[in-house]
Amino acid sequence: MRVRKFGTAAVVTATALVLAACGGGGAGSSTDTSAPDGGSSSDGGEAPAAEDITVGVAMPTQTSERWIADGDAVKAGFEGEGYSVDLQFANDDIPTQSQQVDQMITSGVDLLVIAAIDGTALSGQLANAASAGIPVISYDRLIRDTPNLDFYVTFDNFAVGVQQGTSLLVGLGVLNADGSEADATGPFNIELFAGSLDDNNAGFFFDGAMSVLQPYIDSGVLVVPSGQTSIDQVATLRWQQEVAQKRMEDLLTSTYSGADKVDGVLSPYDGISRGIITALQNAGYGTTIADGLPIVSGQDAEIASVKLIADGVQFATIFKDTRKLAEQAVISGNEILAGEEPEANNTTDYDNGEFVVPSFLLESDVVYADNIESLLVDSGYWTADEVASGQSD
């Protein structure tokens, strides 16, 4: 692992951040998790003060409240450790993010934390970081096709997909919320949506969901009338709401003429879900599930979608507590800056095309209308007023 040789005195041990309800400290066993270029550790020497250490944080966009929250939480966490932070958002533009990372390297940051727009587009920048001795943490989205990556912090993305598929089956009445078989036998017409193909997570989400849905498709309980079942057919570029809405409109026009109706839609992200729901409502499917709107899944517990769930419009979302992800990034960053191997709980699943990247995976939860308060309000993620208004304060 490439690390600048800071003594451990330079690094304050990761403590409870000024982030409400942060859990998820580093845990789990670690094996030989060094990248292919070999490992190095601190050899002591004069250690810079914490305020002389700068962390570069590159986030993909400010068009999603999720990524704004992530950027702010990571910045606050590292600043809470006494470091300076250079936080940049790239507005979903790959050249902009590449330029931002280049600038961080040129300015001499001591650690890079990157949530990539396109996981294959930063190999040149990471080669430059390696040459400068700057370690890199891949944040939530795996950076691919480069050996110059030190660690990956994320959620268990395959499990997230399983939860998405399960929530769709629960909404259709095929499964109970505990995963046991329910009474409904179908057949139910469903359509499938996936995320952006340039995001490595999209494949994990889709594969996880299909591991749950495919047996019911094979048995005839679920039917995909469009025939579009591969990720290449159902992907949504840049996870954009308007792209998803247009595709749903096209599916309704091409496939659901006459008496055929959609019963459910697999959606991997709340913004995509809202685009799908808009298309369905505009096509006369009703305004809520109670009056005919199909079951639609989601992800990220965005406040607009949480209100839709509370109002009986969207059926479910997946809550990934990004406060915990930010905290884990800080914990792992502290370990790297101290010249230590960051603690991993997965060293087998996240092959970036060059090597299996040591990773720390966090757990997620399914949000339904009846557990919004316990999962989101009681934890301080959203307030009751924010849920009621559908807007963050």
Side-chain angles (χ1 to χ4, degrees), residues 30 107 133 155 271 330 358:
S30 62
S107 69
F155 290 86
V330 174

Side-chain angles (χ1 to χ4, degrees), residues 193-195 236 239-241 244 267-277:
F193 282 70
T236 309
W239 304 83
Q240 291 179 344
Q241 179 172 333
S267 170
Y269 160 59
D270 286 341
I272 290 175
S273 307
R274 294 193 296 273
I276 292 167
I277 289 168

